[in-house]
Amino acid sequence: MAETDGFAGEPHGPVPEADGEPMRADHRIDIAGDASGTVIAGNHNVVIDANGSIVNVLPPRERPRPERRERVALVPRTQREPVGREADLDELKDALRRHGMVQLWGPPGVGKSALLRHAARSLAPGRDGVVFLNGAHREAEDIAQEIFEACYEAPGYAPTEGELRRLMHDVHVTVYVDDAELAPERLRVLADSAPDAKFVLASRERSMPGESGELELQGLARAAGMDLLERELRHPLPDAERGAAEELCTVSLGRPLLLLRAAGLARLDSSGEIRLPRAAEIDGVLPLLLDRLDLLDTEAVNALHLLVTLGDAEVAPEHVGALCAVPDPAPVCARLAGLGLATVTERGYRSAADVMPEVRRRFPGPVAVDRLCDHFVRWAELATTTPAQVADHARALEVVAGMAERQGRPDLAVRVARAVSPFLAESLRFGVWGRLLDQGQNAARQAGDATATAYFTHEKAVRCLMIGQRTLAAVLLAEAVVLWRQLGDHEGVDAALNAQQYAPPTPPTPPTHPAPDTGPLGEGPGAPPGSDPGAGPGTEPGTMTGPEPGTTGPGTGTDPGYDPSASPGYDPVGPSGSDPGGWGWSDPGTAPAADSVTATASNAGAQPGADLGAGQGANPWTAPNPAADPTTHIAAHSSGAAGAGGVAAGGGAAATTTAALWASVVAVVLGVAAALVIGVAVYQELAEEKRIVPVSGSVTESSGGSSGGSSGGSSGGSSGGSTDGPSDELAGVWQEEGGSLFNITRTGGGAYSLKSIGPCGETSTHEVTGGSGSYRGRMPVWDESSCGKRLGEVVLSIDVSSDGTTADVDVTEPAGVEWECYTCGSRTWTRPS
């Protein structure tokens, strides 16, 4: 068979701009170009269509027969050899020889990506070859599919989990994954998908101590740092500047990115003489560099503005050229990378993280969101655009759709999501497809677009069938049938009814409790996660995923171990109004921007988790990831998603229309599969500068005054991060066993204020009253399917210990309610040290 050789993403053709007003997505969108095709996932044959996909089941004899490639050589693009990394390369080689998995980790700007790329090209490959991939914003299952496609010739086929392991058995490749910011359990899923492969994973922090080999990458030694400066200056260092160069190497801790910027500033000096920045100027190198760039290179400044607008998303140079009117964008992007202002990736370029706040200060706002949406939709409509290219730009599409929602244009977000959904389905990257479907459905509801809501519901159901989540698929298909019928769309009804025959039946009326004999994911008694017992003859046990990436967080596309707050970048979908400028960051006043790259000897330990692409100014006390710590959120289930664990309510006796009735059925069935974690998210405190940042992203300055509507009450506990002593008992900051933080403020007269966030970003304040160590209050339960509708309340009981350091907390449901709180119970709070 042919040997593969090339990049993870190929260059894209130019994207022409078109005149005229952008198309509104009030009704069904007809997608031009090739927006349809056929893919096979497990034993499901799916005809992808821009107006609703059709599912059939293939008998075993008709399933694809993947052909294994004789040798794989999927290597990164050529780069200059990193300076001073010979010893690190030898250590990595030794760790790879002794371990099946090696983590290469270190702070941002230290050169992890450069060393990983160099290793992929220079170290001996596995017996069957080498695969280099970028894992940024990719779920473990999507990365596993990429590895499979590199090793096998099987276009349009995604094997089940069991089939994937069988096919990858005895495939000895070495897999290098950059930006592998996955939770440990998801890294294990990735490793298990190719049991005989070796993995080298680059990440910001070590996450699997004792389970893998590891190499912590440090900054360059002084001699190597001097060599790097000379190479970037393209000239030997003058004797007069050697002392300054040595000080730069020391103060920068040898981080190549900072030295790169210092050399770039020297090259831009108009005097014609080499003069390096002094050590005292190290924190001001970035503003100085941008000042010089403003004067000398307008095209580069405009390109950087676009990259910053797209946050941590990578974008091919052709898009930069089309959106910035740059005739030859590749050299412009390369110049930005050469100055340390942008990062080279396999798919293109992205802005360096710490550049974002400085660029934002220089521009009144981001690139216009309607222009961005129109550009990417028109690009998707081109006959030359491929599913792989769209999947490569999925993060940019997520960011753009999120900007549109925040700026009050959900119709634009719907337009983007509908245009690219068929391509993402054809790409077989089910994780990112799920995230875009979730964004599209939320935007469609905000826009009141009934056709788009039906479409996204239908496609989410098809996706669930493709990855083996048959119970959830049954519920979504039932809802899709109702929505299509309400629209009078007979083709949509027929497609949904056709797919229903491959899913288990849904109950005609919502039962009070979930069936007692369901398996872990509602697939049947004792069924293993991801099994598909009812798909028909020849069904393969196991599926493409374990717990479905689309059913484990506050968004149906979120991977169980994929935490956007921990991945390079930010979550582009925030509550409306949380980002007044529409940039995708918190406001500059929210928190001081963490200068994660410009490290000095005195601040090297600050913000060790921030990395290239990580959102700046991130609050380390923001609300916890619901999938990681579900016990602090109370919610009802959604018709479009389900999460793992959590305090949740199911049922839905409040439903009064046909659509609401099906949403109630969803709430019951999803209670078996998992609990969608939305609802109550508690204010967290930011220790730096005494700011409180709620989940919604709005900012409340702590003044120490009274709150919660009580006038004249004493100020009580501090809201700046300190905790009141035992004398105040309840007020202050508390921490739950899972790590969640709560801020409670005394309002006077034995009353306390606890703030929470609803599923649509609405803030509500809840009163807790009591004294002598015993307090009681109520918190709401939200029905996400009707966005913001309260189903009722649960009772919160807090008993503080006599020394005021711990509290026993009980969450219970009132008697006689129509819904059920599945995970109400007891927990313990402590005062954080």
Side-chain angles (χ1 to χ4, degrees):
M1 297 300 297
E3 176 178 306
T4 63
D5 191 0
F7 306 148
E10 295 296 333
H12 306 159
V15 184
E17 289 293 318
D19 298 328
E21 291 298 320
M23 189 168 50
R24 292 294 292 265
D26 298 320
H27 301 287
R28 171 170 296 189
I29 295 176
D30 294 321
I31 304 299
D34 185 11
S36 62
T38 301
V39 297
I40 298 173
N43 63 343
H44 291 97
N45 180 76
V46 183
V47 179
I48 304 299
D49 187 85
N51 296 317
S53 301
I54 301 172
V55 182
N56 292 291
V57 167
L58 287 176
R61 63 181 178 276
E62 295 183 16
R63 294 174 67 178
R65 299 267 190 264
E67 294 187 59
R68 182 167 162 181
R69 304 183 196 275
E70 292 181 0
R71 187 165 180 80
V72 183
L74 194 64
V75 295
R77 64 180 68 182
T78 305
Q79 63 169 21
R80 289 186 295 177
E81 183 175 336
V83 175
R85 293 302 188 189
E86 295 79 10
D88 296 308
L89 188 65
D90 289 341
E91 188 175 348
L92 180 59
K93 177 181 178 181
D94 183 62
L96 189 57
R97 179 181 56 83
R98 292 184 289 108
H99 301 276
M101 178 182 288
V102 178
Q103 277 198 309
L104 173 67
W105 60 285
V110 79
K112 300 184 295 296
S113 295
L115 178 59
L116 191 74
R117 291 168 179 270
H118 182 56
R121 280 189 163 270
S122 61
L123 294 185
R127 185 190 70 192
D128 297 311
V130 61
V131 177
F132 179 90
L133 301 170
N134 192 313
H137 304 292
R138 292 294 196 268
E139 283 80 358
E141 291 79 8
D142 286 358
I143 299 173
Q145 177 68 18
E146 290 194 51
I147 297 171
F148 165 73
E149 292 174 2
C151 298
Y152 278 87
E153 185 70 31
Y157 175 56
T160 64
E161 182 181 300
E163 181 71 0
L164 178 64
R165 292 191 185 190
R166 184 186 69 79
L167 290 168
M168 293 302 297
H169 172 68
D170 200 37
V171 177
H172 294 265
V173 292
T174 303
V175 181
Y176 296 84
V177 184
D178 200 8
D179 291 318
E181 306 295 344
L182 293 170
E185 61 272 15
R186 308 312 296 165
L187 291 175
R188 296 186 196 103
V189 168
L190 176 60
D192 290 344
S193 69
D196 293 310
K198 290 191 174 184
F199 287 85
V200 183
L201 310 165
S203 58
R204 296 188 306 271
E205 296 180 355
R206 179 181 60 173
S207 60
M208 298 184 69
E211 299 184 43
S212 65
E214 62 179 68
L215 172 59
E216 181 183 7
L217 197 61
Q218 306 283 350
L220 297 174
R222 179 180 295 181
M226 301 278 282
D227 290 341
L228 177 61
L229 285 171
E230 287 192 336
R231 188 182 77 174
E232 295 302 319
L233 290 169
R234 305 182 186 92
H235 192 282
L237 281 169
D239 292 340
E241 293 297 303
R242 296 194 70 84
E246 290 179 354
E247 289 184 6
L248 281 176
C249 292
T250 300
V251 174
S252 67
L253 303 179
R255 295 192 184 179
L257 183 60
L258 186 57
L259 296 176
L260 192 69
R261 290 174 178 171
L265 189 61
R267 289 202 305 270
L268 290 174
D269 196 318
S270 58
S271 66
E273 296 182 0
I274 294 176
R275 184 186 183 280
L276 292 169
R278 282 0 191 199
E281 301 174 315
I282 199 70
D283 290 330
V285 165
L286 187 55
L288 291 173
L289 196 57
L290 291 173
D291 286 342
R292 299 284 179 86
L293 204 62
D294 279 335
L295 296 173
L296 302 176
D297 199 337
T298 303
E299 286 187 344
V301 171
N302 291 337
L304 186 59
H305 181 209
L306 173 65
L307 294 180
V308 167
T309 295
L310 296 176
D312 62 339
E314 355 176 18
V315 62
E318 288 75 16
H319 296 289
V320 176
L323 286 163
C324 300
V326 177
D328 192 7
V332 174
C333 293
R335 286 200 297 274
L336 291 173
L339 295 173
L341 302 175
T343 303
V344 181
T345 71
E346 287 307 290
R347 306 176 185 108
Y349 296 85
R350 72 179 177 215
S351 170
D354 61 332
V355 172
M356 298 179 189
E358 183 63 31
V359 172
R360 188 184 182 191
R361 281 192 287 270
R362 294 164 183 261
F363 285 90
V367 176
V369 70
D370 56 347
R371 177 172 171 77
L372 292 171
C373 291
D374 186 63
H375 165 79
F376 282 111
V377 170
R378 292 180 185 275
W379 168 65
E381 292 173 347
L382 293 176
T384 54
T385 300
T386 67
Q389 291 171 348
V390 174
D392 285 345
H393 286 80
R395 181 58 177 173
L397 298 168
E398 285 185 271
V399 172
V400 169
M403 287 176 59
E405 285 189 79
R406 284 191 299 276
Q407 294 186 21
R409 291 298 305 275
D411 59 298
L412 292 179
V414 169
R415 187 181 171 212
V416 170
R418 285 210 65 177
V420 303
S421 174
F423 294 95
L424 293 175
E426 286 190 70
S427 75
L428 299 174
R429 303 302 183 262
F430 298 131
V432 68
W433 182 31
R435 296 203 303 271
L436 261 298
L437 287 175
D438 195 48
Q439 275 190 290
Q441 186 183 56
N442 291 337
R445 287 171 174 168
Q446 292 178 39
D449 189 337
T451 301
T453 300
Y455 167 77
F456 289 120
T457 303
H458 181 108
E459 292 302 283
K460 287 165 74 171
V462 170
R463 174 180 173 272
C464 288
L465 282 177
M466 295 171 77
I467 63 175
Q469 296 296 324
R470 298 174 60 251
T471 299
L472 182 55
V475 176
L476 292 172
L477 286 168
E479 184 179 0
V481 169
V482 173
L483 294 173
W484 287 130
R485 281 178 174 160
Q486 289 175 339
L487 292 166
D489 191 321
H490 302 296
E491 292 183 6
V493 171
D494 290 344
L497 289 174
N498 174 73
Q500 273 190 326
Q501 63 184 307
Y502 308 119
T506 55
T509 56
T512 305
H513 300 284
D517 59 343
T518 52
L521 290 174
E523 305 292 355
S531 65
D532 192 1
T539 300
E540 178 76 19
T543 63
M544 181 64 189
T545 65
E548 181 205 349
T551 59
T552 51
T556 61
T558 306
D559 185 275
Y562 176 78
D563 179 2
S565 66
S567 300
Y570 56 88
D571 181 0
V573 184
S576 178
S578 62
D579 181 27
W583 281 86
W585 307 301
S586 57
D587 189 80
T590 301
D595 190 2
S596 59
V597 176
T598 311
T600 64
S602 60
N603 70 5
Q607 304 295 340
D611 199 354
L612 302 182
Q616 297 303 298
N619 181 354
W621 284 11
T622 51
N625 176 18
D629 182 21
T631 58
T632 63
H633 297 68
I634 302 174
H637 300 304
S638 158
S639 60
V647 179
T656 57
T657 65
T658 304
L661 174 61
W662 280 113
S664 301
V665 175
V666 172
V668 174
V669 179
L670 296 195
V672 179
L676 173 66
V677 182
I678 50 177
V680 176
V682 182
Y683 264 31
Q684 306 298 317
E685 288 197 16
L686 178 62
E688 298 175 10
E689 301 193 15
K690 297 185 178 180
R691 289 181 171 90
I692 299 176
V693 184
V695 173
S696 65
S698 59
V699 181
T700 302
E701 282 288 346
S702 169
S703 63
S706 62
S707 62
S710 173
S711 58
S714 59
S715 61
S718 168
S719 56
S722 62
T723 59
D724 296 319
S727 60
D728 195 39
E729 293 192 297
L730 186 61
V733 177
W734 292 91
Q735 184 171 21
E736 201 171 42
E737 294 154 309
S740 301
L741 296 169
F742 302 82
N743 183 64
I744 301 177
T745 305
R746 186 171 61 191
T747 58
Y752 298 79
S753 173
L754 188 153
K755 289 187 169 71
S756 67
I757 306 297
C760 298
E762 63 272 22
T763 302
S764 56
T765 302
H766 316 290
E767 186 179 68
V768 180
T769 60
S772 302
S774 183
Y775 304 87
R776 299 293 181 269
R778 287 178 176 264
M779 300 182 75
V781 177
W782 303 94
D783 181 0
E784 192 267 348
S785 65
S786 56
C787 198
K789 176 182 177 182
R790 288 175 56 159
L791 291 181
E793 294 181 323
V794 290
V795 178
L796 183 69
S797 301
I798 307 173
D799 292 316
V800 182
S801 63
S802 58
D803 60 1
T805 60
T806 63
D808 295 324
V809 181
D810 289 316
V811 179
T812 57
E813 60 184 278
V817 296
E818 297 288 344
W819 39 266
E820 181 179 2
C821 182
Y822 299 138
T823 51
C824 287
S826 302
R827 60 215 64 185
T828 301
W829 291 358
T830 59
R831 303 272 190 187
S833 56

